[in-house]
Amino acid sequence: MAEKDRSALPPQWILLTILAGLGMVGPFSIDTMFPAFAQMAIDLDTTPVALQQLISVYLLSFAVASLFHGPLSDAVGRKPVILGGTAMFVLASLACAVAPNLSLLLVGRAVQGLSAGAGQIISRTMVRDVFADARAQQVMSQIAMIFGLAPALAPIVGGWILVHGSWREIFWALTGLGLALLVLVWLLLPETHPPEHRVPLHLGPLFASLWAVWCNPHGRRLALTAMVNFAGMFLYISSAPYIVVSMLHMGEQDFWVLFVPLISGMVIGSWFSGRLAGRVKGARLATVGYWISLGGGAANLSLMLVPAAQALPWAVMLLPVYTFGVAMAFPILTLAMLDLFPANRGAAASVQSFVSLVANALIAGVLAPLVAVSLPALAATALLLTVVGYLQWRRHLQVTGLQPPSPPGMVPPPADGL
């Protein structure tokens, strides 16, 4: 959307609220269920390990659909894809609320995943349609702040719903959330991708745009970097039932003790990233974010190796430091990916989301059950993921001619290009 057309936009606080709300649907649909796992296991006659597949199925279908949301929005416009996806999410949530058994609930969750990504992926693309440079980073950071509240609020809301009803009411609440967003998008969200900028809607070019993004070495590297950047944090999120119930010996209304520290660091880190936009170059800011994550992750591992510290408040005390660094880097990694493909931003957003979602599905279904046996094992795995992400980021800066700055205490290179 050109500068002169910005008058068509609603007030910025409304725009940010709608875009962030669309982004919140994905994590909210995961985390509200965690407090209900014990009740669902009894009601559906299954095990918590089997219920973990409700997350994996959701994320895998989310990942597959994410390959199409972005390119479709490049061809037919952003708003129609969001409206269609949100309507499907409403119907899927309704199906989950009345599912009589685990098999049909898994089908409903798969359809939820197919639809929930439309708003989350395309909302990022819309930011880049409307805003540029430092302003885009500021807006993306503001949306990330609101978006970051979802994982913290979701288990609290889920626990509160369980006090007054059963796990089915959680899906009725998701149905209501989807309906509210559908109305807001229909009435207030403008189209930001005008017809003259659209690409033909043909399967061949659609898959070609996705393949071109993946075959671009910089695009592929950034997609993998963004994936690993969030993986350590998602390991803690997907391990929440093990951590809160099995390790900390708390109840279904107590998931806030993990999610509030996790998300508070993310919200503050997003705010900090937005405040520094235009003052500190993005590549440098993301690198500093990785340093903070590495430092926080290493300190957390050291603390968890002390048996006496494997209880509250020590078990969660350093998690905000870790997630602060993750959130500082997130807007820069997202915008860097979109800026590589200005004519196919939807495809770029889809590839980046697909890679992250497949990884998150594997984390929830495979890695979390394997390593969520102790707090030291979780801390070590999260730190290892962050190390991999940092090395990927440094490699990207080097091959693109942006030499990363040296960590504190080291002699900087002659020219860092930042």
Side-chain angles (χ1 to χ4, degrees), residues 245-287:
V245 177
S246 302
M247 300 180 196
L248 299 180
H249 310 293
M250 305 188 78
E252 56 191 27
Q253 272 76 50
D254 299 318
F255 278 69
W256 65 270
V257 302
L258 172 66
F259 282 90
V260 169
L262 271 176
I263 304 306
S264 61
M266 188 170 182
V267 170
I268 297 170
S270 298
W271 175 85
F272 199 76
S273 181
R275 292 288 293 178
L276 292 179
R279 305 179 189 179
V280 180
K281 289 190 176 181
R284 184 181 295 274
L285 192 59
T287 302

Side-chain angles (χ1 to χ4, degrees), residues 66 76 154 207 277 401:
S66 71
V76 303
F207 285 111

Side-chain angles (χ1 to χ4, degrees), residues 286-368:
T287 302
V288 173
Y290 269 111
W291 292 344
I292 294 171
S293 291
L294 289 169
N300 182 51
L301 174 58
S302 300
L303 187 61
M304 290 304 96
L305 291 173
V306 179
Q310 296 175 23
L312 293 174
W314 317 108
V316 300
M317 186 173 66
L318 290 170
L319 293 182
V321 180
Y322 178 75
T323 58
F324 178 96
V326 170
M328 274 187 66
F330 174 78
I332 290 96
L333 297 177
T334 302
L335 291 172
M337 184 71 170
L338 296 175
D339 287 345
L340 274 177
F341 307 95
N344 297 102
R345 288 177 185 144
S350 284
V351 170
Q352 192 173 49
S353 294
F354 174 79
V355 172
S356 294
L357 288 163
V358 169
N360 288 346
L362 293 173
I363 289 170
V366 180
L367 187 60

Side-chain angles (χ1 to χ4, degrees), residues 118-347:
Q120 182 172 330
I121 293 167
I122 298 171
S123 62
R124 299 177 187 176
T125 309
M126 295 178 83
V127 170
R128 206 64 185 90
D129 287 341
V130 177
F131 302 102
D133 304 325
R135 186 63 187 140
Q137 184 182 330
Q138 291 171 348
V139 173
M140 193 73 77
S141 298
Q142 290 167 346
I143 290 175
M145 286 175 60
I146 305 173
F147 161 79
L149 294 174
L153 292 175
I156 298 172
V157 171
W160 180 82
I161 290 173
L162 290 177
V163 172
H164 301 280
S166 74
W167 61 268
R168 296 184 184 277
E169 270 69 39
I170 292 175
F171 289 103
W172 285 112
L174 291 174
T175 303
L177 173 63
L179 281 171
L181 286 170
L182 190 64
V183 172
L184 288 173
V185 170
W186 179 269
L187 295 177
L188 298 175
L189 193 66
E191 177 58 66
T192 64
H193 191 53
E196 61 269 21
H197 293 159
R198 296 175 190 173
V199 298
L201 181 57
H202 301 300
L203 284 180
L206 186 151
F207 285 111
S209 66
L210 293 169
W211 186 245
V213 170
W214 179 250
C215 288
N216 184 296
H218 302 322
R220 184 169 59 248
R221 193 181 306 106
L222 279 172
L224 294 171
T225 301
M227 174 265 286
V228 185
N229 177 60
F230 190 72
M233 179 177 168
F234 190 78
L235 175 64
Y236 273 94
I237 291 174
S238 59
S239 302
Y242 303 101
I243 297 171
V244 175
V245 177
S246 302
M247 300 180 196
L248 299 180
H249 310 293
M250 305 188 78
E252 56 191 27
Q253 272 76 50
D254 299 318
F255 278 69
W256 65 270
V257 302
L258 172 66
F259 282 90
V260 169
L262 271 176
I263 304 306
S264 61
M266 188 170 182
V267 170
I268 297 170
S270 298
W271 175 85
F272 199 76
S273 181
R275 292 288 293 178
L276 292 179
R279 305 179 189 179
V280 180
K281 289 190 176 181
R284 184 181 295 274
L285 192 59
T287 302
V288 173
Y290 269 111
W291 292 344
I292 294 171
S293 291
L294 289 169
N300 182 51
L301 174 58
S302 300
L303 187 61
M304 290 304 96
L305 291 173
V306 179
Q310 296 175 23
L312 293 174
W314 317 108
V316 300
M317 186 173 66
L318 290 170
L319 293 182
V321 180
Y322 178 75
T323 58
F324 178 96
V326 170
M328 274 187 66
F330 174 78
I332 290 96
L333 297 177
T334 302
L335 291 172
M337 184 71 170
L338 296 175
D339 287 345
L340 274 177
F341 307 95
N344 297 102
R345 288 177 185 144

Side-chain angles (χ1 to χ4, degrees), residues 89-99 171-172 175:
F89 176 82
V90 170
L91 295 176
S93 300
L94 181 60
C96 289
V98 299
F171 289 103
W172 285 112
T175 303

